């Protein structure tokens, strides 16, 4: 199988032990599958973007700074995965080329205007992935933001169309922390990629790879 894993920067955290656990999981998945990992920018990206904005940078330039942070995080994860390509691909074609030589390819962002959710969905579309796993800091897709709305219900299963509908609804509110970005949802819809939105833990990643029920499945 070809597996695309989107690992949110918050999931990677700062502890080396946590990163090592994810690295071990990725290596174990890679024994029987081709694995592509897209790493988010996390705290590093947020801090640098905030400061660049204060200093007068345009939003596009801030995106470039965010992309640089995602690539730095990708290099950190690569440090813990001996079988991964050392090079961080800058686009999907390069990622595919590298995957012919390595079982694990780790990358960050590509171009401005979206988050690594969308990068990962586009990569999944490009390489015709069998499954796209979005490992984040929420345990699935909810009817509303579960952190601010206690009546929010979690969906175990959604169609791609339902996902687009939910994401467009929540992203209309300023400051809402969306579980997956709208562009990613649209890509999932147009290419019908089997997608899992899971709380990012090594155990949950293994479950999703095995096709077990975990988080929200979009199919
Ligand atoms: N970013 C992009 N394009 C990408 C990936 C990331 O512009 O392909 C920028 C965005 O500003 C994003 C930030 O918010 O880097 C960090 O990525 P993420 O952790 O939000 O996914």
């Amino acid at each position: 199988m070809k597996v695309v894993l989107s690992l949110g920067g918050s999931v990677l955290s700062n502890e080396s032990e946590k990163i090592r656990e994810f690295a071990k999981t990725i290596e174990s998945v890679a024994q029987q599958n081709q694995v592509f990992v897209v790493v988010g920018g996390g705290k590093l990206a947020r801090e640098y973007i905030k400061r660049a904005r204060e200093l007068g940078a345009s939003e596009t330039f801030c995106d470039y700074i965010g992309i640089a942070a995602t690539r730095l995080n990708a290099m950190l994860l690569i440090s813990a995965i001996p079988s991964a390509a050392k090079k961080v691909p800058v686009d999907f074609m390069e990622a595919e080329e590298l995957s012919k030589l390595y079982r694990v390819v780790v990358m960050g962002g590509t171009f401005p205007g979206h988050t690594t959710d969308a990068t990962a969905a586009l990569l999944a579309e490009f390489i015709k992935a069998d499954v796209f796993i979005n490992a984040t800091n929420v345990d699935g897709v909810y009817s509303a933001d579960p952190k601010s709305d206690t009546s929010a219900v979690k969906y175990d299963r959604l169609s791609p169309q339902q996902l687009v509908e939910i994401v467009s609804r929540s992203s209309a509110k300023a400051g809402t922390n969306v579980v997956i970005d709208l562009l990613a949802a649209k890509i999932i819809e147009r290419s019908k990629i089997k997608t899992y939105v899971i709380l990012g833990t090594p155990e949950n990643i293994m479950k999703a790879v095995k096709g077990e029920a975990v988080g929200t499945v979009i199919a």
Side-chain angles (χ1 to χ4, degrees):
M1 270 201 324
K2 285 186 194 170
V3 179
V4 171
L5 172 66
S6 173
L7 214 47
S10 60
V11 169
L12 268 181
S13 88
N14 287 329
E15 293 162 46
S16 296
E17 217 27 66
K18 281 267 158 60
I19 297 177
R20 200 168 278 130
E21 277 176 35
F22 281 108
K24 277 193 192 140
T25 305
I26 291 163
E27 289 221 286
S28 131
V29 174
Q31 282 177 3
Q32 304 198 7
N33 304 281
Q34 177 68 54
V35 185
F36 296 81
V37 186
V38 180
V39 181
K43 255 200 342 223
L44 186 67
R46 285 203 306 274
E47 246 171 67
Y48 267 75
I49 287 171
K50 181 172 163 271
R51 296 189 60 190
R53 208 176 265 142
E54 279 167 11
L55 293 168
S58 68
E59 284 304 302
T60 315
F61 196 67
C62 288
D63 279 343
Y64 277 116
I65 290 174
I67 292 168
T70 63
R71 290 180 179 160
L72 210 51
N73 280 342
M75 289 172 84
L76 198 61
L77 181 62
I78 288 169
S79 307
I81 308 176
S83 61
K86 291 283 182 289
K87 190 163 199 309
V88 177
V90 295
D91 62 34
F92 307 128
M93 284 179 270
E94 201 184 357
E96 189 175 50
E97 288 301 312
L98 280 173
S99 76
K100 291 172 186 159
L101 299 169
Y102 299 90
R103 308 286 297 169
V104 182
V105 175
V106 185
M107 69 185 290
T110 48
F111 47 84
H114 52 72
T115 73
T116 47
D117 287 348
T119 313
L122 285 163
L123 175 65
E125 178 177 71
F126 184 78
I127 57 124
K128 296 190 159 60
D130 298 285
V131 64
F132 168 35
I133 302 168
N134 190 44
T136 181
N137 54 6
V138 200
D139 66 346
V141 182
Y142 282 76
S143 55
D145 185 352
K147 286 182 189 115
S148 54
D149 186 345
T150 49
S151 68
V153 287
K154 189 189 134 200
Y155 300 107
D156 292 333
R157 246 189 129 75
L158 285 173
S159 69
Q161 293 83 347
Q162 286 172 315
L163 179 72
V164 168
E165 209 177 284
I166 290 163
V167 173
S168 355
R169 213 192 308 141
S170 52
S171 63
K173 282 190 254 162
T176 308
N177 200 2
V178 197
V179 69
I180 192 159
D181 83 15
L182 182 59
L183 179 58
K186 291 267 192 190
I187 301 298
I188 291 165
E189 184 188 31
R190 82 172 179 187
S191 284
K192 301 174 182 61
I193 307 160
K194 185 182 185 191
T195 301
Y196 284 85
V197 177
I198 58 167
L199 180 66
T201 66
E203 299 73 37
N204 286 344
I205 292 169
M206 285 312 287
K207 278 189 188 167
V209 169
K210 290 179 188 155
E212 292 171 13
V214 59
T216 301
V217 187
I218 298 111

